[in-house]
Amino acid sequence: MSASNPSPRPRQLHLNVNILHSGFVPSAWRLPESDPWAFADIQHYIRTAQIAEAAKLDAVFLADNAAIVDQIHFRPITALEPTVLLACVAAATTHIGLIATASTSYNEPYNIARRFATLDHVSGGRAGWNVVTTADLPSARNFGLDAVPDHAKRYARASEFTDIVKALWDSWEDDAFIGNKATGSFIDTAKVHAITHRGEHFAVQGPLNLPRPPQGHPVLVQAGASADGRELASRHAEAVFSASQSFEESLAYARALKTRAAELGRGPDAVKVLAGLTTIVGGTEAEALRRRDELVDLIPWDYSLTRIAGTLGIAPDRLKLDERLPDDLPLPGNGNHTFFNAVVAAGRKHGYTVRQLIRELAGGGGHRVIVGTPEQIADDIEHWFKAGAADGFNLMPDALPQGLQDFVDGVVPILQKRGIFRKDYEGRTLRDHLGLARPGGRAAQRLAA
């Protein structure tokens, strides 16, 4: 191949860290090295992000809730508003991506467009927005509703919401700012545009009141596995957090998502699938299993029963610890389809009793859990990545920050040695890390037309 046509860059693994306060396992805050107050301590999030950045990981991610939706008598919850928190993290880091959740159910498009454009500006182009709809009743009641809006209606609102946010980010052309002291010309107003949106759910005039974000658009992330969620992801998402319990399921999901995105006129690599993965690392497999069991044994069984019953949309008394999941488990009409499917798949595939299922899920969550040595974890990651079941992983270490440090010290060097994960950053923005193109904006749209 000639020098003018260099070989394509080898596909690279993407690693994102979900900072779930003290860690993924509900009892992580009880470990001797853990700080129970970490869930509300900005320094905890900064330390975790700095560990991720030192290992050249793509991004950190913060989930969010608009209500107390966990059992706070036992475990910490998502408390601090994520975009405010990540603005503080941005000031203490230089390269790591910063992905925050914001719900389309209980926000307005203009506010979200402005919030994430601001985070992108203050971080130098490292922001990402995890687009979610909200399905829990406590959140609905916090916004004056007596019931959760219908699933299909939530996603129809989310699609229109996302269209508006993208239009607002594009309402300033890239060269609208002039700032010419000699002529006194500050902004070229011919390059700042109203969007004049009138739709089923929203009416937004625009334009946004700040220049176009450094990335053009902060990276759009999505996490729904329902039919509506997949369609939203196919149309808008550039990265997707999935919750598949098996290799075969994840491979089918990734293929279907990318095929649908291509049908909608997007490129074959327009969407990166980042599979959820909890890691419990030990020097030996026995050591890792012992750590898993110690963590699970610190969780009250009634907590785990209530948690898994909530995911399944049933009353806790329908579950018996030493019996299998009930046969008649209908998909919750307004529940979280992603985690329902993941939990049921794990239980059915292996025939677990509820007690075994809770232990296998390290406390009753819906994400896949790997318990083992750094080599075993690296082997699993490499297999999923090379076979196309995932473009990377949304990591949820058992405990933070120590579980992430164990992964960084043990697993990352193996992945680097195998040539599938970077040894240094090649750019400064989250789009650079993910290998995503910068959207062209209005000027490019005019040229294309």
Side-chain angles (χ1 to χ4, degrees), residues 348-372:
R348 300 275 194 248
K349 179 179 180 179
H350 301 284
Y352 288 136
T353 65
V354 172
R355 189 189 303 274
Q356 291 170 329
L357 179 59
I358 288 170
R359 190 170 295 280
E360 192 68 17
L361 296 174
H367 285 289
R368 192 168 68 99
V369 180
I370 300 183
V371 184

Side-chain angles (χ1 to χ4, degrees), residues 161-377:
F161 192 116
T162 308
D163 281 332
I164 297 168
V165 169
K166 291 159 73 173
L168 287 167
W169 287 335
D170 288 339
S171 63
W172 288 56
E173 296 187 31
D174 284 318
D175 57 351
F177 175 74
I178 300 172
N180 189 316
K181 295 180 182 180
T183 65
S185 196
F186 193 70
I187 299 292
D188 184 348
T189 56
K191 296 183 177 181
V192 180
H193 309 274
I195 68 168
T196 320
H197 175 89
R198 298 289 184 275
E200 180 181 355
H201 300 91
F202 303 102
V204 181
Q205 179 67 20
L208 203 59
N209 66 341
L210 73 163
R212 195 163 188 251
Q215 295 185 103
H217 298 171
V219 173
L220 289 170
V221 184
Q222 209 269 333
S226 66
D228 293 325
R230 292 186 189 204
E231 185 65 15
L232 181 69
S234 298
R235 290 183 180 278
H236 295 291
E238 296 166 297
V240 171
F241 295 148
S242 67
S244 302
Q245 279 292 335
S246 72
F247 170 84
E248 294 79 12
E249 180 186 2
S250 188
L251 182 61
Y253 174 85
R255 287 176 173 171
L257 185 68
K258 294 185 178 195
T259 297
R260 179 58 180 151
E263 291 172 352
L264 292 168
R266 306 180 67 195
D269 298 316
V271 186
K272 308 295 184 184
V273 175
L274 307 180
L277 181 64
T278 295
T279 56
I280 302 178
V281 186
T284 64
E285 184 177 0
E287 181 184 309
L289 286 167
R290 185 164 57 250
R291 178 177 173 86
R292 192 272 311 271
D293 290 343
E294 288 172 353
L295 280 164
V296 173
D297 289 341
L298 287 173
I299 309 170
W301 286 107
D302 61 347
Y303 168 90
S304 295
L305 274 174
T306 300
R307 184 183 186 197
I308 202 168
T311 299
L312 298 173
I314 60 176
D317 60 11
R318 288 203 60 199
L319 298 175
K320 308 300 180 187
L321 279 172
D322 296 309
E323 297 178 9
R324 296 181 182 183
L325 293 175
D327 292 328
D328 55 332
L329 289 174
L331 186 68
N334 271 337
N336 188 314
H337 292 185
T338 302
F339 289 111
F340 173 91
N341 290 328
V343 168
V344 171
R348 300 275 194 248
K349 179 179 180 179
H350 301 284
Y352 288 136
T353 65
V354 172
R355 189 189 303 274
Q356 291 170 329
L357 179 59
I358 288 170
R359 190 170 295 280
E360 192 68 17
L361 296 174
H367 285 289
R368 192 168 68 99
V369 180
I370 300 183
V371 184
T373 65
E375 193 82 23
Q376 289 173 318
I377 294 170

Side-chain angles (χ1 to χ4, degrees), residues 104-175:
T104 59
S105 300
Y106 304 118
N107 282 294
E108 290 292 321
Y110 192 93
N111 291 343
I112 293 303
R114 186 183 184 207
R115 193 183 306 170
F116 281 88
T118 299
L119 182 60
D120 208 47
H121 277 288
V122 302
S123 66
R126 294 187 278 143
W129 171 31
N130 180 38
V131 184
V132 302
T133 70
T134 303
D136 66 275
L137 184 57
S139 293
R141 288 174 171 165
N142 281 344
F143 290 89
L145 301 178
D146 293 324
V148 176
D150 174 79
H151 189 275
K153 290 180 179 178
R154 291 203 316 273
Y155 275 94
R157 174 186 167 100
S159 186
E160 183 181 343
F161 192 116
T162 308
D163 281 332
I164 297 168
V165 169
K166 291 159 73 173
L168 287 167
W169 287 335
D170 288 339
S171 63
W172 288 56
E173 296 187 31
D174 284 318
D175 57 351

